[in-house]
Amino acid sequence: MKSIYYLLIVLISCSCSGEPREVQTKEKAEKPTPEIRNEKISSKPEELQIHSTKYRIVPIDETSEDQSLQAFVSKLKGIVKRKDLAGLLNCLDTGIVVSWGGGMHGMETFREEWELNKQPERSALWVKMKHLLELGGAWEDDKKEFRFPYAQCDRFFQNMEFDFDWYVTAVCISSKTNVYQRPLPNAEKTALLSYEVVQILDRGADFIKIQTIDKKVTGFVKIDQLILSADSYPILEKTNGEWKIVSFAPYD
């Protein structure tokens, strides 16, 4: 009898415990899926439109118009890359102009001006010369001289109706030159310029405050995006059948 009694209790217990599991499973199945909220993704700021005026100088390189000039420039680029002082001096005219206003000329003066007398490999001349040659050059004075970079040629300014002061004139050398609100690389960009000729309002170590000729854009531009019209640049002339650098002087 006891065995029959215990068997009934086990059967009743099993039958009672089965139903709650079915109910529990059903409840889990019917539990609503939590709502997924779609967060708005902020769109990128619109790209600035290029502010363009008639005061522009588009890059040009006329070196290939003369084979002897092209060969000389190619050799000069190699000399600069190697920082070959002897090779560079061989490319200079003996009376090279170092400063027009100061009456400074000659190879020794050139070496002193660019600190080539001691540790010439550290001279700032190599980086500067490399940059100017890479920009490309153009003819001036009825092809009697060749200037690097192209932006230093007066003929490109002749048809512009503006009285330029070379001490405060600069040319943007990029198709998209950023203008910043402040002289900081992470500052807000306020405008884009493309090969624009601009006026210099103030000068810092890394940035220059500029204003477009039409005065519609004012802000700060990185100095490596500009060619300053009063800065030093090389002038090449062919003398006695050989090309030489006859001047590397600023506008002074």
Side-chain angles (χ1 to χ4, degrees), residues 7 23 29 103 117 136 149 207 222 226 240:
L7 179 61
V23 174
N117 291 326
F207 284 83
K222 291 180 179 178
L226 298 168
N240 299 322

Side-chain angles (χ1 to χ4, degrees), residues 57 136 138 147-154 156-157 171 173 227 229:
I57 299 179
R147 297 185 181 186
F148 282 98
Y150 65 91
Q152 293 288 23
C153 287
D154 296 339
F156 296 127
F157 293 87
V171 181
I173 57 174
I227 286 296
S229 296

Side-chain angles (χ1 to χ4, degrees), residues 60 131-133 135-138 147-153 227 232-234:
I60 188 171
H131 177 57
L132 298 180
L133 293 176
L135 288 174
R147 297 185 181 186
F148 282 98
Y150 65 91
Q152 293 288 23
C153 287
I227 286 296
S232 298
Y233 61 94

Side-chain angles (χ1 to χ4, degrees), residues 56-61 150-151 156 160 171-172 194-197:
R56 300 173 71 240
I57 299 179
V58 178
I60 188 171
D61 188 6
Y150 65 91
F156 296 127
M160 298 182 186
V171 181
C172 298
S194 179
Y195 307 124
E196 199 76 18
V197 180

Side-chain angles (χ1 to χ4, degrees), residues 22-34:
E22 293 178 1
V23 174
Q24 188 177 10
T25 304
K26 187 176 180 181
E27 287 179 354
K28 285 184 178 181
E30 294 178 353
K31 189 175 181 180
T33 304

Side-chain angles (χ1 to χ4, degrees), residues 140-158:
E140 187 76 327
D141 194 18
D142 294 328
K143 291 194 173 183
K144 293 179 180 178
E145 64 181 47
F146 197 87
R147 297 185 181 186
F148 282 98
Y150 65 91
Q152 293 288 23
C153 287
D154 296 339
R155 68 183 172 99
F156 296 127
F157 293 87
Q158 289 176 353

Side-chain angles (χ1 to χ4, degrees), residues 2-18:
K2 286 184 178 181
S3 59
I4 296 174
Y5 176 75
Y6 285 120
L7 179 61
L8 289 173
I9 292 174
V10 170
L11 290 173
I12 294 171
S13 175
C14 290
S15 62
C16 291
S17 60

